[in-house]
Amino acid sequence: MRIILLGAPGAGKGTQANFISKALNIPQISTGDMLRAAVKAETPVGLQAKKVMDAGQLVSDDIILALVKERLEQSDCLNGCLFDGFPRTLAQAESLKKDGIRINQVVEIDVDDSEIITRMSGRRIHPASGRSYHIQFNPPKEAGLDDETGEPLVQREDDREETVKKRLEIYHSQTAPLIEYYSGWAADGEENAPKYRKVKGTGSVEEIRDRILEALSSC
């Protein structure tokens, strides 16, 4: 079972991917992890990727696809895998299809932009410990201060509202088209088309996890 998890930044893909991979006993695969592992192991593709990165350039789709193929040949992927953050563009999705890399199921975690902005822009961090708060959902006892040390909390640059909005813009222009691509492919009933399910990404982490597992089991 090869699964793709789709959703905007802040939709909870990382958290849910961890749950799903453990529940189904399949590895969670991210392009970042693959790159680091291949470079460290000095595989042919890893050496090629390192040369590109050392030159300050972006790793091409061809290299990413080669890494995916290399990773899928490893023994822990025999029963499937969960792709985390891949494919990221239509070109990558088309390459998967063209190269005959079968995807069985695609699950979209659906969260409104306004909800994501609220979630992410409300986060506050205690830098020394990594303790996390939310001004609305999990506020500190005293506004702006860590519960244990009384030290000031900070808002990460990635969590600032303007940054979140910019990330969402990039998502909608580059990655959201994958939703139409995979849902349309599934609706066409084409041979080897993956099953497609959309789950609501609101509620508790456990509720969202159960919706995803139910969606996967119904495919």
Side-chain angles (χ1 to χ4, degrees):
M1 182 187 296
R2 293 176 183 163
I3 303 166
I4 289 173
L5 202 57
L6 295 178
K13 293 190 304 300
T15 299
Q16 296 302 332
N18 187 45
F19 278 134
I20 295 165
S21 65
K22 289 179 179 177
L24 301 180
N25 195 29
I26 56 176
Q28 176 182 345
I29 296 177
S30 76
T31 52
D33 290 342
M34 284 189 296
L35 274 170
R36 285 187 288 273
V39 169
K40 184 177 180 180
E42 297 185 339
T43 68
V45 181
L47 292 172
Q48 188 180 359
K50 185 177 187 300
K51 183 178 180 180
V52 172
M53 290 187 293
D54 286 348
Q57 300 173 350
L58 291 175
V59 177
S60 68
D61 285 347
D62 287 344
I63 293 178
I64 295 296
L65 263 293
L67 283 169
V68 169
K69 291 178 181 178
E70 190 175 75
R71 182 67 181 85
L72 291 178
E73 292 175 355
Q74 297 180 21
S75 60
D76 62 338
C77 289
L78 288 177
N79 294 322
C81 64
L82 174 65
F83 287 107
D84 177 12
F86 177 85
R88 208 173 280 277
T89 64
L90 282 176
Q92 291 178 349
E94 287 283 9
S95 294
L96 280 178
K97 184 178 181 181
K98 181 181 177 182
D99 290 354
I101 300 175
R102 176 80 186 274
I103 302 298
N104 304 100
Q105 304 186 42
V106 179
V107 177
E108 174 196 351
I109 303 178
D110 181 34
V111 185
D112 291 339
D113 282 5
S114 58
E115 171 72 15
I116 287 174
I117 292 169
T118 298
R119 285 183 187 180
M120 297 182 73
S121 64
R123 290 195 292 214
R124 300 293 184 270
I125 303 294
H126 178 239
S129 67
R131 279 187 289 275
S132 178
Y133 300 84
H134 193 284
I135 58 175
Q136 181 177 342
F137 306 123
N138 179 36
K141 295 174 184 176
E142 187 173 348
L145 300 178
D146 178 54
D147 285 351
E148 295 190 21
T149 66
E151 295 172 343
L153 302 176
V154 301
Q155 183 182 40
R156 296 185 306 186
E157 186 64 36
D158 279 355
D159 291 337
R160 295 186 185 280
E161 184 170 339
E162 59 271 23
T163 306
V164 175
K165 288 180 177 178
K166 191 168 293 185
R167 291 177 66 191
L168 286 170
E169 287 176 9
I170 294 171
Y171 167 76
H172 287 299
S173 66
Q174 295 184 3
T175 309
L178 290 170
I179 292 170
E180 184 176 345
Y181 176 84
Y182 281 115
S183 60
W185 187 11
D188 287 343
E190 184 181 332
E191 186 179 3
N192 292 331
K195 303 294 184 183
Y196 190 92
R197 293 290 186 273
K198 178 188 287 190
V199 301
K200 199 66 181 172
T202 55
S204 69
V205 170
E206 292 76 18
E207 288 170 338
I208 300 168
R209 176 201 62 198
D210 291 344
R211 286 184 208 131
I212 294 173
L213 290 175
E214 182 179 357
L216 290 172
S217 65
S218 68
C219 289

